[in-house]
Amino acid sequence: MERIGDHAVVGNGRAAALVSRGGTVDWLCWPRFDSPSIFAALVDDGAGRWTLAPAAPFRSERHYLPETNVLVTRFITATGALAVTDFMPVASQEEQRRLLLPDHELVRMATCERGTVELETVFEPRPDYGRVGPRLRDAGGLGLRAETRAGLLTLRADLPLAIEPAGRATGRAVLQAGETRHLSLSYADEWPAILPPLGAPTREALARTVRWWRAWVGQLRYDGPGRDAVVRSALALKLLVYAPSGAVVAAATTSLPERVGGDLNWDYRFCWLRDAALTVRALFGLGFRDEADAFVSWLLHSTRLTQPELRVLYDVHGNAPPRERTLEHLAGHRGSRPVRVGNGAADQLQLDVYGEVIDAVTHFVRSGGTLDRETQRMLCALGDEVCRSWQGADEGIWEPRSGKGHNTHSRVLCWTALDRLLELHAKGHLCSAPVELFERNRAAIRRDVEEHAWNARLGSYTARLGGEELDAALLLLAWYGFEDARSARMRATFARIRERLGARDGLLYRYRSGDSPGEGAFGICSFWGAEVLALGAGSAAEARETFERLCRLSNDVGLFAEELDPGTGEALGNFPQAFTHVGLINAALSLEQRLRGEAPLTHAVPPRAALEEADA
Amino acid sequence: MSVGSWLLWGFVATIVLTTILAGTQGLRLTRMNLPYMLGTMFTPSRDRAKLLGFAVHLVNGWLFSLLYVAAFEAWGRATWWLGAAIGVVHAAFVLTAGMRILPGLHPRMASETHGPTVTRQLEPPGFLALNYGVRTPLGALAAHAVFGAILGAFYRLAGG
């Protein structure tokens, strides 16, 4: 079984496939990210895969075509070189009106670049997380068909395919230099299938796809350090946006382990409100206004049924995710059991989500958006809920399964919620806010945090009020404007975090506790470290050096999982992880602002004296 | 022939038939979608095809209901079971002959023998429309039987 970081991702804004260095599609869920899998070899060798690679031994290298999500894997054998191009076709709206295009298609093109290469493909679909061994049927010119309960899979290829027992098809072809073979796997669940012909139409689909991605990247505004890493992160993030609703899923996979062989395996194919503010800032910051607007609309729409209470996570259409259950028949990624689908964190209480959602809406307004009266009432109701609940305990940002506590980060995010509501009111976007109530509670939260979350003996803010432990999420106190990154308290907190949670090359663990023993350094926390330096806790040079070192820790195609093993550099956890790439983008944006001498985030951070005076 | 009664119950029966077929599609019993298939005769755009196809399907339903009404008038009586029986024959015709000749009529439908081409990429229905799922014939039979039963039950004969 290939490792997590040995994979690259292709997708079309509704589903994503993970392709290994060996040319195998090891993960694919259709029709959407959280649907049951078609291929799941990433979590069990018998749960389906599709290989397209030379029959002879090879070494491989790969890259994305510049500014696209089109993957090219180059196989070098003793007799020649073969390039396999993998992509899910995308098209502009005008092209969709003009052309009949499949809803779901994965295209693979193999071109012999040099010498002679024998190509081999092995197609083993195992729908429903490997539980179904479909019967393959040869439908002649219509390809190989596998009718499943979920829909129809059609594999078409311009090389001969033979159906073997146990739902498997294989094909071989000897390619001379310059020759190409095309393969298309499509899925139809609701309509008669669209079956695109192979050959020139496949190459046109590739050209359309490349054009579409490059036009999308053309909107990106960023000229700071690590531009390639930022572009790749934006492209990875875009692959995790569910286009029909604007939701951003946390990752494309479930149950890739935070510790190989361990049980820290969760389903991340849902949308966490926790990620909202950071994601919206990343999208607006890079100039992707449509995606940012769509995500804010999804936030407001998805939370409507539960307001004024907010759930921790939702599915791509704003429904509660399915109940968490384990798939006992799957062996797990390199023995990491159990494999879970659904997510039990949905039942947790996280008070920080109020601040994250309201801050995301504030970014939207700062970028020129307006709020209708219903949304204004909804925001005020969220503010009322914060005033009622901020003193309570919650599970906190990291969703530990060990119980509730008074988490500093959650409390600061309650402060953020009220602070942003007051900002929106002051700017005329919130007509009937209970200003006095919000101001009183905001001041009370600040006092509470400053008095009880600051540990003078340690010289740092702590993860929980009155506690001794540290948490990298404390770095966000500067991000949300609760503390100035240049303040003595913030610098001291950052120093303690680096001291206690730091690993090599700027990597940071999120915390050190019994909740997650043996997990790797956390991707986004590490980028928070680079960002807090950029915001003023360190020099610009130090921020840049840290950022660039972290960027070099991606896999060979620029992708990050949730975590990294600081010892081996191995990617850990679900993949690719939106949160990590959001962290990279935000750190880059803050660094770019710092290097240009611009003001950091537009969060106002009034001097403490002024705040105390106001509170008095 | 009672034109008013035909127009009203032909419309109602078509709407019910469309609803049943859409229901079987929504319940994943079939991938057959007649409005979509009809609409793609005129446009490749998915959204426009659905809208246009629905209009064409509605007119088709009215026209087909004319045959039912003609049969009722010829027999001098209209009952739900007579209508349902015509519906079953109608469905059998659509599933066998109709689906067989559709790839020849449809400018965007691929052929089973030659596979898809640049202009013809829509999956053909095949015998009994089984390409769209093994339960497709049952859904189509049920929908057409209900279509006929509504006409038979509610259509008022001209002399009645």
Side-chain angles (χ1 to χ4, degrees):
Chain A
M1 187 178 286
E2 296 205 51
R3 290 164 189 260
I4 296 165
D6 287 336
H7 290 83
V9 63
V10 295
N12 64 354
R14 277 173 294 175
L18 265 59
V19 187
S20 76
R21 279 182 212 273
T24 300
V25 181
D26 280 333
W27 182 259
L28 171 62
C29 298
W30 265 338
R32 63 184 214 196
F33 297 109
D34 57 341
S35 302
S37 62
I38 307 290
F39 305 118
L42 202 48
V43 290
D44 188 304
D45 277 325
R49 54 160 61 86
W50 179 20
T51 302
L52 181 63
F58 58 80
R59 67 181 170 83
S60 66
E61 55 196 42
R62 60 198 180 155
H63 64 278
Y64 284 104
L65 292 183
E67 303 191 330
T68 75
N69 275 314
V70 175
L71 178 70
V72 179
T73 307
R74 196 156 183 269
F75 298 95
I76 317 295
T77 72
T79 58
L82 181 83
V84 171
T85 304
D86 292 315
F87 64 100
M88 285 193 187
V90 287
S92 68
Q93 290 198 344
E94 190 277 323
E95 288 163 337
Q96 287 179 41
R97 276 192 294 272
R98 193 163 45 80
L99 303 165
L100 207 52
L101 300 169
D103 274 338
H104 310 281
E105 187 187 16
L106 174 60
V107 174
R108 314 195 73 183
M109 294 167 54
T111 300
C112 182
E113 293 183 331
R114 175 170 56 76
T116 303
V117 179
E118 187 180 18
L119 169 74
E120 181 178 37
T121 187
V122 181
F123 177 66
E124 296 173 282
R126 293 290 179 274
D128 198 16
Y129 302 111
R131 281 185 287 223
V132 177
R135 194 172 69 85
L136 297 177
R137 184 168 74 82
D138 187 349
L142 301 183
L144 294 190
R145 294 161 61 93
E147 188 80 59
T148 73
R149 193 180 295 177
L152 173 75
L153 286 170
T154 307
L155 174 65
R156 305 190 58 256
D158 52 10
L159 70 159
L161 296 172
I163 297 175
E164 296 180 358
R168 180 181 143 110
T170 59
R172 282 188 179 224
V174 176
L175 270 62
Q176 308 292 335
E179 286 187 325
T180 298
R181 292 290 181 273
H182 309 82
L183 297 95
S184 156
L185 177 65
S186 61
Y187 172 84
D189 61 339
E190 204 176 343
W191 314 93
I194 309 292
L195 305 167
L198 303 171
T202 317
R203 292 190 290 278
E204 282 165 26
L206 172 62
R208 272 198 305 275
T209 303
V210 167
R211 209 162 46 233
W212 192 93
W213 282 114
R214 288 187 177 154
W216 185 79
V217 169
Q219 303 168 61
L220 185 144
R221 295 193 309 258
Y222 179 77
D223 290 313
R227 189 176 192 280
D228 289 347
V230 171
V231 170
R232 179 53 47 203
S233 289
L235 284 161
L237 189 58
K238 177 67 175 167
L239 282 185
L240 298 171
V241 174
Y242 183 69
S245 69
V248 182
V249 297
T253 56
T254 179
S255 299
L256 297 186
E258 294 171 24
R259 185 185 64 235
V260 174
D263 61 354
L264 301 170
N265 318 320
W266 316 106
D267 191 350
Y268 274 26
R269 298 170 298 161
F270 305 108
C271 318
W272 268 256
L273 294 191
R274 175 194 71 187
D275 306 356
L278 298 158
T279 304
V280 168
R281 192 272 181 142
L283 291 170
F284 274 129
L286 290 181
F288 295 116
R289 204 191 156 88
D290 287 348
E291 283 73 15
D293 285 351
F295 184 53
V296 171
S297 296
W298 176 84
L299 272 179
L300 297 172
H301 164 78
S302 63
T303 55
R304 201 139 283 191
L305 289 178
T306 59
Q307 290 164 15
E309 290 178 12
L310 299 180
R311 291 210 182 108
V312 174
L313 65 150
Y314 296 82
D315 77 4
V316 291
H317 285 298
N319 300 309
R323 273 166 47 85
E324 185 173 288
R325 59 199 168 89
T326 59
L327 300 178
E328 301 294 346
H329 65 287
L330 295 177
H333 179 79
R334 293 163 67 203
S336 309
R337 299 188 71 186
V339 173
R340 295 181 174 93
V341 291
N343 199 301
D347 300 325
Q348 291 193 353
L349 174 67
Q350 287 182 27
L351 292 172
D352 56 302
V353 296
Y354 293 90
E356 282 137 1
V357 168
I358 293 171
D359 193 54
V361 174
T362 309
H363 278 293
F364 167 73
V365 171
R366 285 173 187 156
S367 303
T370 56
L371 305 174
D372 58 38
R373 295 192 77 81
E374 191 183 348
T375 303
Q376 292 178 33
R377 275 196 297 276
M378 182 269 272
L379 291 172
C380 287
L382 294 181
D384 290 339
E385 181 66 22
V386 169
C387 293
R388 278 194 295 275
S389 56
W390 68 263
Q391 297 182 70
D394 74 338
E395 262 99 357
I397 183 173
W398 303 126
E399 302 157 7
R401 305 283 171 112
S402 55
K404 294 179 180 175
H406 292 273
N407 293 293
T408 305
H409 171 266
S410 298
R411 206 144 288 186
V412 168
L413 266 292
C414 286
W415 175 91
T416 305
L418 299 176
D419 184 72
R420 302 301 184 269
L421 290 174
L422 289 166
E423 177 190 327
L424 290 174
H425 179 263
K427 291 178 177 171
H429 294 285
L430 215 55
C431 298
S432 55
V435 174
E436 195 275 329
L437 175 74
F438 288 176
E439 282 182 339
R440 197 173 62 240
N441 279 278
R442 180 180 65 167
I445 298 172
R446 175 171 279 284
R447 271 196 304 275
D448 192 35
V449 171
E450 290 184 348
E451 287 172 17
H452 300 115
W454 176 256
N455 185 320
R457 192 189 57 75
L458 204 59
S460 173
Y461 283 109
T462 52
R464 288 188 167 177
L465 275 65
E468 295 280 333
E469 301 292 330
L470 293 180
D471 187 325
L474 293 166
L475 297 174
L476 291 175
L477 268 59
W479 202 90
Y480 285 107
F482 183 86
E483 273 284 359
D484 190 323
R486 295 159 295 189
S487 72
R489 280 191 170 194
M490 204 60 229
R491 283 171 179 264
T493 300
F494 183 44
R496 286 291 161 275
I497 285 173
R498 276 211 286 205
E499 185 184 300
R500 292 199 176 184
L501 304 180
R504 68 169 173 111
D505 288 324
L507 288 169
L508 294 174
Y509 292 93
R510 53 179 165 172
Y511 49 63
R512 297 274 203 188
S513 78
D515 286 321
S516 243
E519 71 170 28
F522 216 77
I524 193 167
C525 297
S526 308
F527 283 109
W528 288 341
E531 184 162 15
V532 83
L533 287 168
L535 290 172
S539 67
E542 191 183 2
R544 180 176 189 149
E545 190 200 349
T546 305
F547 174 73
E548 289 178 340
R549 263 189 296 154
L550 288 171
C551 288
R552 286 195 289 271
L553 297 175
S554 70
N555 77 351
D556 58 322
V557 286
L559 297 175
F560 282 96
E562 183 177 37
E563 300 176 11
L564 274 126
D565 182 327
T568 63
E570 185 179 349
L572 297 169
N574 284 307
F575 181 86
Q577 175 87 359
F579 214 24
T580 310
H581 286 285
V582 162
L584 186 153
I585 293 168
N586 280 329
L589 290 169
S590 290
L591 185 56
E592 184 188 37
Q593 286 170 327
R594 174 78 179 269
L595 293 172
R596 283 182 178 169
E598 294 172 0
L601 287 171
T602 48
H603 297 154
V605 188
R608 186 163 301 149
L611 286 165
E612 283 165 1
E613 194 180 318
D615 291 347
Chain B
M1 189 182 92
S2 168
V3 174
S5 185
W6 162 59
L7 284 175
L8 173 64
W9 295 110
F11 175 76
V12 171
T14 305
I15 292 295
V16 172
L17 175 132
T18 309
T19 306
I20 293 172
L21 288 177
T24 57
Q25 194 193 357
L27 292 169
R28 298 287 191 267
L29 300 176
T30 177
R31 284 179 290 107
M32 185 169 76
N33 183 312
L34 287 176
Y36 176 69
M37 289 158 69
L38 291 169
T40 48
M41 284 182 157
F42 306 99
T43 172
S45 165
R46 208 168 278 255
D47 293 333
R48 284 166 60 195
K50 280 187 269 184
L51 193 66
L52 196 59
F54 181 78
V56 173
H57 185 56
L58 197 63
V59 172
N60 274 356
W62 253 322
L63 292 178
F64 272 107
S65 67
L66 198 56
L67 294 176
Y68 287 61
V69 164
F72 296 145
E73 292 289 350
W75 290 333
R77 60 178 178 156
T79 65
W80 71 267
W81 56 269
L82 267 177
I86 304 174
V88 169
V89 173
H90 177 187
F93 173 78
V94 169
L95 288 168
T96 52
M99 291 299 169
R100 282 284 181 162
I101 60 171
L102 193 56
L105 296 174
H106 198 302
R108 291 188 172 81
M109 189 167 277
S111 114
E112 294 223 319
T113 42
H114 300 110
T117 67
V118 174
T119 52
R120 293 172 170 269
Q121 301 183 22
L122 190 66
E123 178 190 19
F127 180 63
L128 296 180
L130 286 169
N131 282 356
Y132 299 156
V134 290
R135 300 183 194 88
T136 305
L138 293 177
L141 275 172
H144 284 83
V146 172
F147 175 86
I150 290 172
L151 281 168
F154 298 106
Y155 174 72
R156 289 287 159 260
L157 293 172

